[in-house]
Amino acid sequence: MQRKTYNYNNSQLFALVALRVLIGWYFLYEGLVKFLNPNWTSLGYLKDSQGFLSPVFNFITEHEFLMSLADNLNIYGLTIIGLLLIVGLFTKAAGFGAISLLSLYYLSHPPLLNVVYMLPTEGSYLWIDKNVIMLCAVVVLILFPTSTQIGLDRIIFKKESSK
């Protein structure tokens, strides 16, 4: 099976790799900050949910096992996704993981009219927030992969030599 190759010019490749690394850094840093803070928990964030799935997020807060699972998925999911994107390893899987987390963050705290959250927000949004924008950027990374040119995927998924 021959792997599809992409022919980006230098500027395109640089921009796409920079986007991948920057998003990776964002995820990695968010995960490490949570990992290094022994008191961090997603409890307040989940309890503050105002979206149509808020009953689900509140249900999670009422069960110790589910809270532990949510906290660990956040910490380790963010950290692993970030590392994978930065080094260009299994980037498609990392991208789908990123989309999953970003979707959950959006569904927990959608930027809707007349919704006030207890936790401070970064600005005033209507329907579109940083989670949606980053999610779209991750979709771009999945559709325009670079890790087989610049990343560990290049080493792991070497093009089979012609026989």
Side-chain angles (χ1 to χ4, degrees):
M1 185 167 121
Q2 196 167 2
R3 191 156 181 86
K4 185 175 181 177
T5 58
Y6 296 90
N7 295 317
Y8 304 122
N9 68 37
N10 289 340
S11 298
Q12 292 168 325
L13 186 59
F14 177 82
L16 288 167
V17 170
L19 181 63
R20 188 187 81 213
V21 170
L22 291 172
I23 291 174
W25 171 256
Y26 178 84
F27 273 81
L28 175 63
Y29 185 76
E30 286 290 326
L32 289 177
V33 164
K34 291 166 178 53
F35 178 78
L36 295 173
N37 179 353
N39 298 316
W40 180 85
T41 179
S42 60
L43 179 70
Y45 186 80
L46 294 174
K47 280 197 168 291
D48 194 32
S49 174
Q50 300 289 322
F52 73 93
L53 290 179
S54 63
V56 174
F57 294 117
N58 280 300
F59 178 82
I60 292 170
T61 67
E62 296 166 0
H63 297 85
E64 189 176 328
F65 171 76
L66 294 177
M67 273 307 306
S68 177
L69 184 64
D71 288 346
N72 284 309
L73 283 173
N74 265 284
I75 292 168
Y76 296 107
L78 288 166
T79 304
I80 292 167
I81 289 166
L83 282 172
L84 292 175
L85 290 174
I86 289 170
V87 300
L89 179 63
F90 305 122
T91 55
K92 189 174 276 193
F96 284 116
I99 288 170
S100 299
L101 285 178
L102 291 165
S103 296
L104 288 171
Y105 299 154
Y106 181 85
L107 292 171
S108 174
H109 286 72
L112 304 172
L113 287 172
N114 302 321
V115 174
V116 178
Y117 295 106
M118 292 174 21
L119 300 172
T121 58
E122 296 171 343
S124 300
Y125 303 107
L126 179 58
W127 302 311
I128 305 299
D129 64 2
K130 70 174 184 182
N131 293 318
V132 172
I133 294 167
M134 192 170 307
L135 189 147
C136 289
V138 171
V139 169
V140 168
L141 294 177
I142 291 171
L143 295 175
F144 298 93
T146 59
S147 61
T148 56
Q149 294 174 352
I150 298 178
L152 294 180
D153 282 344
R154 180 179 181 171
I155 297 166
I156 293 174
F157 301 109
K158 281 185 182 173
K159 200 174 180 180
E160 291 181 307
S161 55
S162 323
K163 295 181 181 181

